[in-house]
């Protein structure tokens, strides 16, 4: 093996071993502001505090998103299999009106918040949003147990729950 290939191999191993998903939310993500169904502003930290002691499945979605809507039956199945879990839906709809209509139209059961800052806000940037739906699992202590899944029936979600 020549010297360049050896260096590339060492770098690949080093960087792949250190590429680890976060287990806690950043200060910026925790301070990002969302909107409740009642129209009140709430920080992500306050959302987590309101559900402290519960395992959380976070679903980042939008009612205009074909994959999100198509995945809702899988979410509903997950909810049937794990009714003890708290389900938090963070919406990337374009307007709050569209968000509320989407919840009603698709009969989405859970805790709903509108992502006022959108894809590139502090929360979206922290989670590296590049696709929706996006699922995360947070344990009862507030630790991120699953940072990224794009299917509600992902085996990693089921194994953690």
């Amino acid at each position: 093996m020549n010297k360049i290939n050896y260096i590339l191999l060492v770098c690949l191993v080093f960087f792949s071993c250190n590429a680890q998903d976060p287990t806690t939310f950043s200060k910026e993500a925790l301070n990002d502001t969302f909107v409740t169904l009642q129209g009140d502003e709430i920080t992500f930290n306050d959302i987590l505090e309101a559900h402290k002691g519960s395992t959380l499945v976070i679903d980042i979605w939008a009612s205009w998103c074909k994959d999100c809507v198509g995945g809702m039956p899988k979410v509903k199945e997950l909810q049937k299999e794990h009714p003890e879990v708290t389900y938090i839906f963070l919406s990337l709809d374009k307007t709050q009106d569209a968000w509320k209509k989407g919840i009603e139209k698709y009969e989405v059961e859970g805790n709903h918040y509108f992502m006022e800052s959108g894809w590139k806000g502090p929360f979206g940037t922290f989670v590296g949003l590049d696709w929706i739906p996006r699922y995360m699992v947070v344990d009862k202590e507030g630790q991120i147990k699953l940072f990224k899944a794009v299917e509600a029936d992902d085996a990693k979600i089921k194994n953690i729950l």
Side-chain angles (χ1 to χ4, degrees):
M1 181 181 288
N2 70 30
K3 193 174 185 176
I4 292 175
N5 285 343
Y6 179 75
I7 291 170
L8 288 173
L9 179 64
V10 170
C11 288
L12 179 65
V13 169
F14 177 77
F15 288 114
S16 65
C17 290
N18 287 331
Q20 192 172 344
D21 289 336
T23 57
T24 59
F25 290 97
S26 70
K27 181 180 174 185
E28 293 80 14
L30 290 170
N31 289 327
D32 199 0
T33 304
F34 293 73
V35 177
T36 67
L37 282 171
Q38 295 74 32
D40 299 320
E41 288 193 351
I42 186 170
T43 65
F44 187 67
N45 188 60
D46 288 338
I47 293 169
L48 293 177
E49 283 295 317
H51 302 290
K52 193 173 188 170
S54 298
T55 298
L56 310 176
V57 170
I58 299 172
D59 180 346
I60 305 169
W61 77 297
S63 64
W64 52 260
C65 167
K66 182 180 176 188
D67 291 338
C68 300
V69 172
M72 276 301 163
K74 294 177 185 177
V75 172
K76 291 177 182 188
E77 186 61 34
L78 190 65
Q79 289 175 315
K80 283 182 194 172
E81 292 172 10
H82 297 281
E84 75 285 1
V85 172
T86 299
Y87 296 85
I88 295 177
F89 295 88
L90 305 178
S91 173
L92 283 167
D93 273 290
K94 292 176 176 43
T95 67
Q96 290 183 38
D97 189 49
W99 163 53
K100 291 174 182 178
K101 286 178 181 175
I103 293 167
E104 189 175 324
K105 179 177 180 178
Y106 301 111
E107 300 175 344
V108 184
E109 299 287 329
N111 301 277
H112 298 278
Y113 303 94
F114 181 77
M115 288 182 64
E116 205 168 35
S117 63
W119 290 78
K120 300 296 181 192
F123 183 85
T125 300
F126 170 76
V127 300
L129 276 181
D130 58 358
W131 188 264
I132 56 173
R134 167 73 176 273
Y135 305 96
M136 302 176 76
V137 179
V138 177
D139 71 12
K140 293 177 181 184
E141 289 76 41
Q143 297 292 302
I144 302 169
K145 290 299 180 183
L146 178 62
F147 188 69
K148 183 176 184 177
V150 295
E151 295 284 342
D153 61 355
D154 188 306
K156 292 180 279 186
I157 295 174
K158 294 181 178 196
N159 290 338
I160 292 169
L161 298 181

